[in-house]
Amino acid sequence: MNNSRTTWLREVPEDWRITTINSIYTLRNEKVSDQDYQPLSVTMKGVVPQLESAAKTNDGDNRKLVKIGDFAINSRSDRRGSCGISAFDGSVSLINIVLTPRESM
């Protein structure tokens, strides 16, 4: 085990790399339309085709691009675990944080 250099997590397995999230992901902020990219929802079950129960806006041109392999986090329910790695290309609401991996994962 290696020292994690944090007070809340003392040791991590030796084969783990300790780094910052910024060294793994970049922020994706590209705005797109839901006419061009399938609407998606970021839920506790991950990134899924947009739920029927999802609040929808009349401004479908004001969404964020998500690509396959991106990590999306729903900033309104992140503490409940609403996040996931997308299996779809599509678009999500602007309240979501979309991170794209710097390297293949």
Side-chain angles (χ1 to χ4, degrees), residues 17 19-26 99-103 105:
R17 182 175 57 151
T19 189
T20 62
I21 197 163
N22 188 43
S23 69
I24 301 170
Y25 291 102
T26 60
L99 303 170
T100 187
R102 291 183 183 272
E103 301 173 10
M105 297 186 132

Side-chain angles (χ1 to χ4, degrees), residues 30-41 49-51 54-66 89-94:
E30 185 178 343
K31 287 189 180 178
V32 295
S33 169
D34 63 0
Q35 298 298 310
D36 299 325
Y37 291 91
Q38 168 187 0
L40 303 171
S41 293
Q50 189 172 59
L51 303 173
K56 295 170 184 68
T57 178
N58 292 333
D59 190 5
D61 291 335
N62 206 15
R63 298 178 61 80
K64 280 187 187 175
L65 177 65
V66 174
D89 286 340
S91 64
V92 294
S93 165
L94 294 178

Side-chain angles (χ1 to χ4, degrees), residues 27-99:
L27 191 61
R28 186 189 297 277
N29 265 329
E30 185 178 343
K31 287 189 180 178
V32 295
S33 169
D34 63 0
Q35 298 298 310
D36 299 325
Y37 291 91
Q38 168 187 0
L40 303 171
S41 293
V42 182
T43 71
M44 289 186 283
K45 294 182 179 179
V47 181
V48 299
Q50 189 172 59
L51 303 173
E52 288 296 321
S53 61
K56 295 170 184 68
T57 178
N58 292 333
D59 190 5
D61 291 335
N62 206 15
R63 298 178 61 80
K64 280 187 187 175
L65 177 65
V66 174
K67 293 287 207 171
I68 293 171
D70 284 353
F71 181 48
I73 305 164
N74 184 323
S75 65
R76 289 200 180 145
S77 56
D78 55 343
R79 289 182 186 98
R80 290 186 296 202
S82 294
C83 64
I85 296 182
S86 184
F88 308 96
D89 286 340
S91 64
V92 294
S93 165
L94 294 178
I95 65 155
N96 293 284
I97 299 163
V98 180
L99 303 170

